[in-house]
Amino acid sequence: MTNPVNFYKEQLENLSEKRKSITKKLSILQLFRLVVFFVTALVVYLTINLQIIPVFFGVFGFFSFTYLVLSFLKTKKHLANIDARIAINETEIEVLQGNFRQLPTGSMFANPMHYFSHDIDLFGKGSFFQYLNRTITFDGKVVLANILTSNGTSNVSDKQKAVQELSEKVHWREDFSSLKKEVSAEEEATKKVAWMGDYTAKLGTFWGMFSRLFSLASLTLIGLMIFGILPFSILLYWYITGLIIAFSQLKKTQALYTQASHTKAFFSQYYPLLALIEKEKFTATILKEKQQKILTGNIPASKIFKTFSKILDAFDQRNNLVMLLVGNSLFLWDIMQAAKTEKWINTHKKTVVQWFEAVRFFDAQNSLANFTFNHPEYVFPSLKKQEKNQIVNAHQLGHPLLATEKRVNNDFLIDQQQFFIITGANMAGKSTFLRTLSLSMVMANCGLPVCAKSYQYTPIKLITSMRTSDSLSEDESYFYAELKRLKFIVDKIKNDQYFIILDEILKGTNSKDKATGSKQFVEKLTNSKSTGIIATHDVSLCDLSEEFTTIDTFYFDAEITNDELSFDYKIKKGVCKNMNASFLLKKMEIV
């Protein structure tokens, strides 16, 4: 079993050595560049009166200097990539040591009305998303959030195989993630390019052909003028004609340029990611299906993206003064590039969204795979048919965000259409256990391994009610908000099976009314096809276990020894007898 921290530390050592070597190479290239420049200038100066020698040395020096400049830029880019890889490995070490609150929180995806995400701290500061997310694109981040919140229970086995395969491709994932600085992570690419799907050509094929013929005619006229066959005035008239033609189509070319320029960055940044996906060999069904979407046709999607990126770069030259005055008048530059842009859009607009979708899919999956690699001790849930229609049968189940040395794991088994009522003292671990179980089910549905020694599981949708808040803006009381949540649950379980987790229902009313209402609600749940857990401080609710064979009771205990309160955070069968509110009030000298 690979120790992730040791792996990342070893990676850092190797990368640090490479960085030293590259930094040294950069210094040498920089020095050589200066030497070549000054030597070339000196030799040309000293041999200026000779015929061939200064020209020879000037040309040789120019090409040598250009080569060194290009080598310097290439090496500098390599150094930036090494720095990105170093940052990746440093981040993973920090996260595995429990320091992850500096990472993006995903708070933009928080939704108090969602089936479970708000209750189990899926998004926000210190959330599971913050711990899990390593996406480098905005779209990837959205897909990852959707995976976590989808409540999907289909193809779990296929999801597991995809995550497991990618987890083993550590270096490929690092290659992917190291392009982070080159990718805009704060904008949604698919929305930026959505206009392509509905785009209708304004120029058509005529102007593309015409601009090329016009350019050829311009070159011919320039040649004839140079050899003295035609006067300059003819070229001048041709120049003015070109300006008039370019101006006549300015509105169309400007509109297209404005739209296309917004997508330029995405295409130049995404084609390296597409190239990585194209070249890799995958065996998992889900991965192969996504890869196949970018392998259609004879030309790889990455090359098609790269071609469009170059077209947009050329189109962007319209802002150059020389291109504006010469390019448009003699070569109809704007019209030519606009026609090329339209041709690309008309050819590929139906598939371009699929290509972006493939990138964001792998971006999101890499986060799941990274989590899997970082936790080799976790287990993939067993989805084999279980005895007695068990929903969850977990051994040593724990919460993945709790430090190993502080985490207390529990065994847990619940059958289909069974309900557990859990009681316990304050701070004894009820809420933590509910969130642990909830998160394990979300992880299992996503194809992730869970924090347990073993985990047998029948995929089922999750719905919770653990946190409810009032709303001043909507003039909504706490009790009414809670009733709305319970109504939401009742409506959902009418037509589908859910695993329901409730923490202290009907908190917003008096104790007698609460006890009566809670019993009625639990009775309604037992008549549904759902399964679940209800945590409560109201031990009278446990009496329902005597009336219904599908209801059982468990508790978390607290012990007071030598005037000190202690917890073992272990779930036990039965009803809690020890409560600690009055003890804590006295202990803290509140009463």
Side-chain angles (χ1 to χ4, degrees):
M1 185 182 290
T2 304
N3 185 307
V5 174
N6 291 342
F7 172 82
Y8 293 126
K9 286 181 177 179
E10 186 178 332
Q11 287 278 96
L12 280 177
E13 289 178 8
N14 295 334
L15 289 167
S16 297
E17 289 299 317
K18 286 183 181 179
R19 194 183 193 285
K20 289 178 184 177
S21 176
I22 294 170
T23 305
K24 186 178 180 181
K25 184 179 178 181
L26 277 174
S27 300
I28 293 172
L29 286 170
Q30 200 167 19
L31 178 62
F32 274 29
R33 190 173 59 179
L34 290 171
V35 170
V36 168
F37 177 81
F38 285 114
V39 168
T40 302
L42 181 62
V43 171
V44 170
Y45 174 76
L46 293 175
T47 61
I48 193 68
N49 294 323
L50 303 176
Q51 291 181 345
I52 298 296
I53 294 176
V55 176
F56 173 78
F57 275 102
V59 173
F60 179 77
F62 172 78
F63 282 108
S64 298
F65 182 80
T66 302
Y67 172 78
L68 289 170
V69 168
L70 293 175
S71 296
F72 180 84
L73 293 175
K74 184 178 180 181
T75 307
K76 193 173 182 181
K77 188 176 181 180
H78 189 194
L79 179 64
N81 184 264
I82 292 295
D83 286 338
R85 292 171 187 272
I86 288 173
I88 289 168
N89 286 275
E90 287 177 339
T91 296
E92 296 310 324
I93 292 172
E94 284 287 309
V95 171
L96 286 169
Q97 292 174 343
N99 305 317
F100 63 93
R101 292 175 181 256
Q102 76 283 3
L103 299 176
T105 63
S107 55
M108 62 183 294
F109 303 113
N111 177 13
M113 303 306 295
H114 185 259
Y115 288 77
F116 53 79
S117 65
H118 179 63
D119 288 334
I120 66 174
D121 300 314
L122 208 54
F123 305 106
K125 197 75 172 176
S127 66
F128 183 66
F129 181 88
Q130 188 177 30
Y131 185 84
L132 173 77
N133 173 46
R134 300 292 187 279
T135 55
I136 64 171
T137 68
F138 183 88
D139 290 279
K141 191 186 299 184
V142 172
V143 171
L144 180 61
N146 288 340
I147 289 172
L148 293 173
T149 57
S150 67
N151 226 0
T153 58
S154 60
N155 303 321
V156 174
S157 181
D158 288 339
K159 294 175 188 175
Q160 290 180 350
K161 290 173 184 176
V163 169
Q164 194 162 21
E165 181 179 346
L166 274 180
S167 72
E168 296 167 1
K169 296 181 180 292
V170 189
H171 298 293
W172 184 85
R173 288 189 287 103
E174 188 177 281
D175 289 342
F176 194 100
S177 298
S178 65
L179 295 169
K180 181 172 185 177
K181 289 187 178 179
E182 300 177 28
V183 176
S184 175
E186 299 305 322
E187 296 183 78
E188 196 165 355
T190 47
K191 285 186 178 180
K192 283 282 186 179
V193 299
W195 62 274
M196 287 187 179
D198 301 321
Y199 184 79
T200 303
K202 306 291 191 302
L203 296 169
T205 56
F206 166 77
W207 283 106
M209 181 64 70
F210 181 80
S211 63
R212 282 192 283 274
L213 292 173
F214 190 92
S215 299
L216 182 62
S218 295
L219 291 171
T220 303
L221 289 174
I222 292 170
L224 292 173
M225 187 201 71
I226 291 173
F227 287 104
I229 299 173
L230 287 178
F232 177 75
S233 59
I234 298 296
L235 185 64
L236 182 62
Y237 289 134
W238 185 257
Y239 176 91
I240 295 170
T241 302
L243 280 180
I244 293 171
I245 294 172
F247 186 77
S248 71
Q249 300 300 313
L250 180 62
K251 188 175 181 180
K252 294 177 182 177
T253 56
Q254 178 62 43
L256 179 59
Y257 174 76
T258 301
Q259 290 178 307
S261 61
H262 289 308
T263 66
K264 177 186 170 185
F266 291 110
F267 283 93
S268 62
Q269 294 163 350
Y270 272 65
Y271 74 76
L273 298 175
L274 280 168
L276 280 174
I277 298 169
E278 288 167 349
K279 294 173 185 177
E280 191 63 22
K281 185 178 181 180
F282 300 107
T283 58
T285 303
I286 293 176
L287 302 182
K288 288 169 68 177
E289 286 176 352
K290 291 295 181 181
Q291 185 188 45
Q292 198 59 41
K293 288 188 175 182
I294 62 173
L295 295 178
T296 53
N298 298 322
I299 305 174
S302 60
K303 287 188 177 180
I304 296 173
F305 261 44
K306 190 174 183 178
T307 299
F308 192 56
S309 177
K310 288 181 177 179
I311 292 172
L312 296 180
D313 283 338
F315 204 172
D316 206 30
Q317 294 303 311
R318 71 196 302 270
N319 296 317
N320 184 302
L321 185 62
V322 174
M323 204 56 75
L324 179 66
L325 296 177
V326 179
N328 274 327
S329 57
L330 295 178
F331 304 104
L332 301 181
W333 185 262
D334 268 14
I335 293 175
M336 183 184 295
Q337 302 312 317
K340 286 182 179 178
T341 303
E342 284 193 340
K343 183 179 179 181
W344 191 98
I345 291 171
N346 288 333
T347 305
H348 303 292
K349 65 181 181 181
K350 292 182 179 180
T351 53
V352 67
V353 174
Q354 291 183 356
W355 296 340
F356 275 107
E357 183 186 335
V359 171
R360 65 180 187 172
F361 167 80
F362 279 97
D363 191 18
Q365 288 294 313
N366 280 348
S367 288
L368 304 179
N370 184 72
F371 175 87
T372 303
F373 177 82
N374 284 351
H375 298 283
E377 73 280 12
Y378 289 5
V379 296
F380 282 98
S382 171
L383 304 175
K384 296 177 182 178
K385 192 173 181 181
Q386 302 165 45
E387 297 179 2
K388 299 181 181 178
N389 294 318
Q390 292 170 356
I391 295 294
V392 175
N393 184 0
H395 178 57
Q396 293 296 292
L397 176 66
H399 199 293
L401 299 191
L402 294 177
T404 305
E405 62 275 11
K406 295 180 180 179
R407 186 172 64 223
V408 176
N409 300 328
N410 276 286
D411 295 342
F412 180 76
L413 188 156
I414 190 168
D415 294 336
Q416 191 174 12
Q417 296 185 31
Q418 192 173 21
F419 271 88
F420 289 171
I421 297 175
I422 300 181
T423 53
N426 294 300
M427 304 184 298
K430 296 192 307 299
S431 295
T432 299
F433 176 76
L434 296 184
R435 288 181 175 82
T436 298
L437 180 61
S438 299
L439 183 56
S440 75
M441 298 176 76
V442 173
M443 292 166 67
N445 285 339
C446 294
L448 282 171
V450 299
C451 180
K453 293 293 183 183
S454 67
Y455 194 94
Q456 291 181 310
Y457 174 63
T458 299
I460 188 171
K461 295 179 180 180
L462 176 68
I463 194 166
T464 65
S465 179
M466 301 186 215
R467 290 177 178 147
T468 310
S469 58
D470 53 6
S471 174
L472 293 176
S473 62
E474 297 181 13
D475 192 25
E476 183 176 278
S477 70
Y478 178 91
F479 183 60
Y480 183 65
E482 191 177 13
L483 289 178
K484 281 175 62 178
R485 184 65 179 180
L486 296 180
K487 179 66 167 64
F488 172 75
I489 293 172
V490 168
D491 289 343
K492 292 299 176 184
I493 65 176
K494 285 178 181 178
N495 303 314
D496 211 343
Q497 291 186 16
Y498 281 87
F499 195 97
I500 304 167
I501 296 184
L502 309 176
D503 192 2
E504 204 63 52
I505 54 177
L506 300 179
K507 295 186 285 289
T509 187
N510 63 73
S511 57
K512 184 177 180 180
D513 198 26
K514 172 186 172 182
T516 303
S518 296
K519 285 183 179 180
Q520 291 174 344
F521 186 71
V522 174
E523 288 175 5
K524 185 175 183 65
L525 293 181
T526 58
N527 293 323
S528 71
K529 294 181 179 180
S530 297
T531 308
I533 298 176
I534 300 140
T536 181
H537 284 99
D538 184 5
V539 293
S540 68
L541 204 60
C542 297
D543 295 341
L544 289 172
S545 63
E546 298 175 5
E547 301 177 33
F548 296 91
T549 56
T550 55
I551 295 179
D552 211 342
T553 58
F554 291 84
Y555 71 100
F556 285 86
D557 205 4
E559 290 188 5
I560 302 172
T561 308
N562 297 326
D563 204 33
E564 290 295 332
L565 190 64
S566 63
F567 307 98
D568 61 9
Y569 304 111
K570 286 288 188 179
I571 189 170
K572 305 176 184 69
K573 188 171 176 59
V575 181
C576 180
K577 304 298 181 183
N578 299 325
M579 297 298 179
N580 58 15
S582 58
F583 170 80
L584 288 172
L585 287 169
K586 293 177 181 178
K587 184 73 175 177
M588 297 177 67
E589 298 181 352
I590 296 173
V591 296

